């Protein structure tokens, strides 16, 4: 059974259809990257999967639950099984790094303080930033903020992680570092990931499959090498535009 499955999903804003009968499935332990031009609906798709917005019609199953049918209270147990990495990291400036990573644990569990501290230390070590719990977000570089955002997304050991432009705004060295981290997490297994990105090297490095979103639907989907070789006009238009 797919971990995530969207069937005939439609979503519009202000009278404009953004997603038009989109269908997509993500398999267990799969990393799927989604390409598309600006305004193609990539971030809308992530928000739908996370249950932050509802489709106008269609079904969305996440971890066996049809989340379209769930109210906010019923969505909480599903969201606890997902992690979300925001495009700008979205750290709380008023909290230390350690408290940022601990935030989901304090919100959703009753774990003792000792266990929370141990898990925070473990997640920061996982992303290559041990011992920075006391730092303020303002003291971090862009790449460090992204990695702290990933540590926070991993706080509750999610089965699914959603990444919104994880390398956006980073210099090439930091973009590669974040890509390698995502690849390492993939190789460790035990979770699926959906990555929205414009970063071709990142996507081709980390992905089992790549999907191209065009005109509100999935125009092509397949292994990275297959997408590279695709002769579909929508795929060539996107890949050519990014390469230029």
């Amino acid at each position: 059974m797919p971990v995530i499955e969207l069937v005939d999903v439609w979503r519009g804003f202000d009278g404009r259809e953004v997603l038009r009968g989109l269908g997509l499935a993500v398999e267990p332990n799969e990393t799927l990257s989604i390409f598309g031009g600006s305004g193609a609906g990539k971030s809308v798709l992530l928000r739908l999967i996370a249950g932050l917005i509802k489709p106008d019609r269609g079904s969305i199953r996440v971890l066996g639950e049809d989340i379209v049918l769930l109210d906010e209270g019923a969505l909480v147990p599903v969201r606890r099984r997902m992690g979300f990495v925001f495009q700008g990291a979205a750290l709380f400036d008023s909290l230390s790094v350690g408290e940022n990573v601990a935030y989901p644990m304090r919100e959703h569990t009753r774990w003792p303080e000792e266990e929370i501290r141990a898990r925070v230390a473990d997640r920061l070590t996982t992303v290559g930033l041990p011992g920075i719990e006391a730092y303020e977000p303002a003291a971090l570089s862009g790449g460090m903020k992204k990695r702290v955002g990933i540590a926070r997304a991993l706080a509750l050991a999610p089965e699914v992680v959603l990444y919104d432009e994880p390398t956006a705004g980073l210099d090439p060295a930091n973009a590669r570092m974040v890509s390698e981290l995502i690849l390492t997490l993939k190789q460790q297994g035990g979770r699926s990931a959906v990555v929205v990105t414009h970063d071709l090297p990142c996507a081709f490095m980390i992905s089992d499959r790549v999907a191209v979103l065009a005109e509100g639907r999935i125009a092509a989907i397949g292994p990275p090498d297959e997408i590279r070789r695709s002769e579909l006009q929508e795929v060539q238009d996107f890949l050519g535009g990014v390469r230029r």
Side-chain angles (χ1 to χ4, degrees):
M1 179 181 296
V3 173
I4 299 168
E5 186 173 26
L6 293 84
V7 178
D8 194 28
V9 170
W10 293 72
R11 187 60 161 95
F13 296 93
D14 300 323
R16 184 178 77 89
E17 296 289 359
V18 177
L19 301 182
R20 306 175 182 182
L22 182 143
L24 182 68
V26 182
E27 301 302 325
N29 302 323
E30 178 182 36
T31 296
L32 173 70
S33 289
I34 300 175
F35 291 147
S38 297
K42 304 181 300 299
S43 292
V44 171
L45 178 55
L46 280 192
R47 290 165 65 197
L48 285 164
I49 294 171
L52 299 175
I53 58 174
K54 299 282 189 182
D56 296 327
R57 64 180 188 267
S59 70
I60 303 173
R61 297 190 68 84
V62 178
L63 298 166
E65 296 279 355
D66 187 341
I67 63 172
V68 177
L69 305 177
L70 303 181
D71 61 22
E72 279 297 310
L75 272 169
V76 171
V78 180
R79 286 191 184 135
R80 282 187 58 181
R81 300 168 67 189
M82 293 190 285
F84 201 116
V85 180
F86 297 90
Q87 180 171 343
L91 302 181
F92 299 111
D93 291 335
S94 60
L95 300 180
S96 68
V97 166
E99 286 303 309
N100 265 282
V101 178
Y103 187 83
M105 305 181 214
R106 299 197 193 285
E107 284 288 299
H108 297 294
T109 77
R110 295 183 178 179
W111 293 338
E113 189 61 27
E114 182 178 342
E115 182 171 356
I116 290 175
R117 285 198 301 269
R119 284 178 177 254
V120 167
D122 176 74
R123 299 306 186 262
L124 287 172
T125 298
T126 296
V127 301
L129 296 172
I132 70 163
E133 286 89 337
Y135 283 44
E136 300 298 324
L140 305 180
S141 68
M144 293 172 73
K145 287 179 181 178
K146 290 286 178 106
R147 286 189 281 161
V148 172
I150 294 172
R152 185 175 61 187
L154 298 176
L156 298 176
E159 296 161 61
V160 175
V161 181
L162 308 177
Y163 296 89
D164 190 2
E165 299 284 3
T167 62
L170 300 181
D171 61 69
N174 274 305
R176 182 169 182 83
M177 185 182 301
V178 169
S179 300
E180 289 173 346
L181 171 60
I182 296 172
L183 179 61
T184 297
L185 295 172
K186 170 187 176 319
Q187 291 168 340
Q188 290 173 353
R191 67 178 64 86
S192 301
V194 179
V195 185
V196 160
T197 184
H198 283 92
D199 186 337
L200 297 182
C202 170
F204 290 144
M205 176 192 296
I206 67 175
S207 304
D208 296 297
R209 289 190 300 158
V210 174
V212 178
L213 182 59
E215 298 183 357
R217 298 183 177 90
I218 300 299
I221 187 168
D225 285 344
E226 181 180 307
I227 296 300
R228 279 194 186 102
R229 296 192 303 267
S230 174
E231 296 181 0
L232 286 173
Q233 191 62 49
E234 297 93 336
V235 177
Q236 289 303 314
D237 286 348
F238 176 75
L239 296 184
V242 172
R243 286 173 183 145
R244 284 194 299 270

